[in-house]
Amino acid sequence: MTHRFDPTSLREYDIRGIVGKTLGPADATAIGRGFATRVRRAGGTRVAVGYDGRTHSPLLEAALIEGLTKGGVDVVRIGMGPTPMLYYAEATLEVDGGIQITGSHNPGDYNGFKMVLQHKPFFGADIQDLGRLAAEGDWEEGEGAISTYEIMEDYVARLMVGYAGGAFRIGWDAGNGAAGPVVDRLVKLLPGEHHTLYTEVDGTFPNHHPDPTEEKNLADLQKLVKDKGLDFGIAFDGDGDRIGAVDGEGRVVWGDQLLAILAEPVLRELPGATIIADVKASQALYDRIAELGGTPLMWKTGHSLIKTKMKETDSPLAGEMSGHIFFAHDYYGFDDAQYAAIRLIRAVRVLGGSLTALKDAMPVMINTPEMRFQSSEDRKFKVVEEVLDRLAANGADVNRTDGARVNTADGWWLLRASNTQDVLVARAEAKDEAGLERLMGQINDQLAQSGVEPVLAGHH
């Protein structure tokens, strides 16, 4: 028996597709067969399985479990919850790996799989390997058992361990995603006054799209915070591994700004520690980490790549512009937005009690949102190479960690190839509008020289 996946579904960090078009139960079973094979060949026997709140997640869960058990591994079902709850299960139960069925922040017709094997992210070549095993039918055989473990109460209790965050008035928006039931439990345990939005899980996302990195999705939370005069607001993406926040005035506190706040108490405890952020983060963040006595490290975008780099550098904390926050300090090193929320509340208390004041104290930078330029799978990397060659010839100040990040007197601009789509991604940041215009001119000039249609985007 063999199986062929839709080539678009096997991605760099996970498997993802449109259910009924590029992803279905047969794919889920083949993923189970392949993952079981990898687990057994690594000497393992048990896998934890969780799923998010999408309408088709239970169907895919059944198909995945069929594949895993036919591959001879035992399955521990932890039920519906956010992706970090599955990561927590994999870190604390007697299992050898874990799979979360989730479409993350994609629209409701998408679903997918995030995987962990022996406490390490399963990505890149590992995911391509599942495709090869399926195409060759190179699968282990067996009969695995199925058990159930209700882990949500344990998980919520773990989030609260050592809590000393003071009592605030906070708004929470779970966006009808899988974090909802966890938020409902957390707010009962936290001191203070809490107002929740959309904690009822609904895979059709009737209120707004669950992606807190886009300001339009934070409108309801901003209104709640302003109407009730709350201290601040916290939002989650569809599977609870990315966080968004707004201050008491409803201003968005972006991913890199959250990391700057979260880093301060960590660096008080661990002077000189390495704090990692991705190439999209503001220069203000790297400057702030250095100012606090930390060692800033710029690294490639992508949760699997960041987790791997944290282990290499013994970093206690890392984050991405997209709201993935990774705590290894007092935690397990995976991206957990619910845990990041608790640490944010604690940090705000330690740093004076006002997220609004912390936001006020940050340097004002003018930056663009992520701009996307259509390209093809093979062409996108070539364009970045061409740009790097031209910049080198001109003696520009370039960081090549992930694409081209160019520093000028005005600020910086970034051009990189997306790992998950056929697009080039650009971003720029300057001290003032005139500087930003000059940076945008450089980006558009480089794209034009490589024959890419420029598109100008609005600013934050």
Side-chain angles (χ1 to χ4, degrees):
M1 205 179 117
T2 61
H3 177 82
R4 291 206 181 276
F5 293 100
D6 185 293
T8 61
S9 67
L10 300 178
R11 300 164 19 147
E12 182 63 23
Y13 310 122
D14 52 30
I15 295 172
R16 215 179 290 179
I18 298 170
V19 176
K21 286 193 179 150
T22 59
L23 194 68
D27 298 297
T29 301
I31 290 161
R33 296 294 308 253
F35 195 77
T37 299
R38 287 288 303 268
V39 168
R40 285 185 59 191
R41 289 177 187 171
T45 58
R46 298 179 83 206
V47 172
V49 172
Y51 59 91
D52 75 7
R54 286 161 193 266
T55 53
H56 25 64
S57 290
L59 171 79
L60 293 177
E61 188 215 21
L64 174 70
I65 289 172
E66 184 193 337
L68 287 166
T69 53
K70 273 187 182 160
V73 301
D74 296 337
V75 173
V76 183
R77 298 179 63 210
I78 62 160
M80 188 184 70
T83 296
M85 187 171 94
L86 179 275
Y87 293 158
Y88 171 74
E90 196 274 337
T92 59
L93 300 180
E94 295 279 317
V95 294
D96 307 293
I99 302 180
Q100 173 81 357
I101 297 161
T102 175
S104 188
H105 58 280
N106 281 54
D109 52 350
Y110 279 79
N111 216 321
F113 304 84
K114 288 183 181 173
M115 294 161 282
V116 198
L117 181 60
Q118 294 180 324
H119 312 317
K120 292 187 190 73
F122 187 91
F123 70 106
D126 296 316
I127 289 174
Q128 296 308 316
D129 189 43
L130 293 182
R132 184 189 64 76
L133 293 171
E136 295 170 10
D138 177 12
W139 290 328
E140 296 289 323
E141 299 285 334
E143 279 183 54
I146 304 170
S147 60
T148 301
Y149 187 83
E150 294 290 334
I151 203 167
M152 191 175 285
E153 304 298 338
D154 295 3
Y155 171 63
V156 172
R158 176 61 187 84
L159 295 174
M160 290 296 297
V161 165
Y163 181 79
F168 290 98
R169 302 178 63 240
I170 303 174
W172 303 76
D173 184 346
N176 299 109
V182 171
V183 171
D184 282 338
R185 285 167 171 79
L186 267 182
V187 297
K188 289 194 179 79
L189 300 174
L190 286 165
E193 179 189 321
H194 300 276
H195 300 265
T196 59
L197 294 172
Y198 317 137
T199 57
E200 185 184 330
V201 178
D202 184 336
T204 65
F205 307 124
N207 293 292
H208 63 75
H209 190 57
D211 179 356
T213 57
E214 283 198 46
E215 185 155 9
K216 63 174 196 269
N217 299 323
L218 295 170
D220 294 348
L221 182 61
Q222 288 168 323
K223 184 177 186 308
L224 174 71
V225 168
K226 283 185 185 157
D227 288 353
K228 303 228 182 259
L230 304 180
D231 295 319
F232 53 94
I234 294 169
F236 302 103
D237 77 337
D239 71 328
D241 60 5
R242 299 191 307 139
I243 187 173
V246 300
D247 73 0
E249 290 173 16
R251 295 174 299 184
V252 179
V253 186
W254 299 102
D256 49 3
Q257 297 179 323
L258 289 172
L259 191 58
I261 293 166
L262 293 165
E264 192 163 341
V266 172
L267 288 168
R268 285 182 187 177
E269 261 188 65
L270 303 170
T274 299
I275 310 283
I276 302 174
D278 71 336
V279 292
K280 299 177 197 170
S282 171
Q283 187 56 43
L285 167 66
Y286 295 106
D287 294 347
R288 180 66 178 149
I289 292 167
E291 194 181 300
L292 293 167
T295 308
L297 177 63
M298 189 184 293
W299 195 239
K300 297 171 181 170
T301 295
H303 68 94
S304 306
L305 303 173
I306 298 242
K307 284 174 201 168
T308 306
K309 195 67 179 172
M310 285 178 82
K311 288 204 165 118
E312 260 174 52
T313 58
D314 198 21
S315 163
L317 173 64
E320 288 189 77
M321 201 59 212
S322 59
H324 286 278
I325 305 278
F326 313 79
F327 271 97
H329 178 253
D330 292 344
Y331 207 59
Y332 307 93
F334 54 72
D335 36 340
D336 184 334
Q338 289 71 223
Y339 185 69
I342 297 290
R343 292 292 291 252
L344 178 63
I345 300 168
R346 285 166 55 178
V348 169
R349 186 187 72 87
V350 169
L351 303 177
S354 167
L355 185 58
T356 307
L358 292 171
K359 172 84 176 175
D360 282 337
M362 290 179 178
V364 177
M365 299 284 194
I366 303 174
N367 48 42
T368 65
E370 279 194 13
M371 299 167 285
R372 291 163 181 273
F373 306 87
Q374 200 50 49
S375 189
S376 65
E377 195 57 48
D378 49 341
R379 183 76 186 122
K380 64 184 183 184
F381 294 106
K382 289 201 184 92
V383 170
V384 172
E385 284 305 316
E386 290 167 14
V387 170
L388 283 166
D389 289 344
R390 286 194 294 266
L391 291 167
N394 299 338
D397 174 5
V398 188
N399 178 307
R400 295 166 161 257
T401 301
D402 185 2
R405 178 161 162 151
V406 183
N407 296 304
T408 79
D410 290 313
W412 60 271
W413 59 267
L414 170 74
L415 183 72
R416 61 183 283 275
S418 166
N419 282 315
T420 51
Q421 290 165 297
D422 293 342
V423 293
L424 289 156
V425 180
R427 204 171 173 238
E429 176 180 77
K431 306 268 191 303
D432 56 41
E433 284 289 350
L436 196 65
E437 291 304 316
R438 287 190 288 272
L439 295 172
M440 289 299 301
Q442 289 189 24
I443 294 174
N444 283 325
D445 175 48
Q446 288 292 348
L447 289 170
Q449 288 187 61
S450 284
V452 179
E453 281 295 305
V455 288
L456 284 163
H459 310 321
H460 273 345

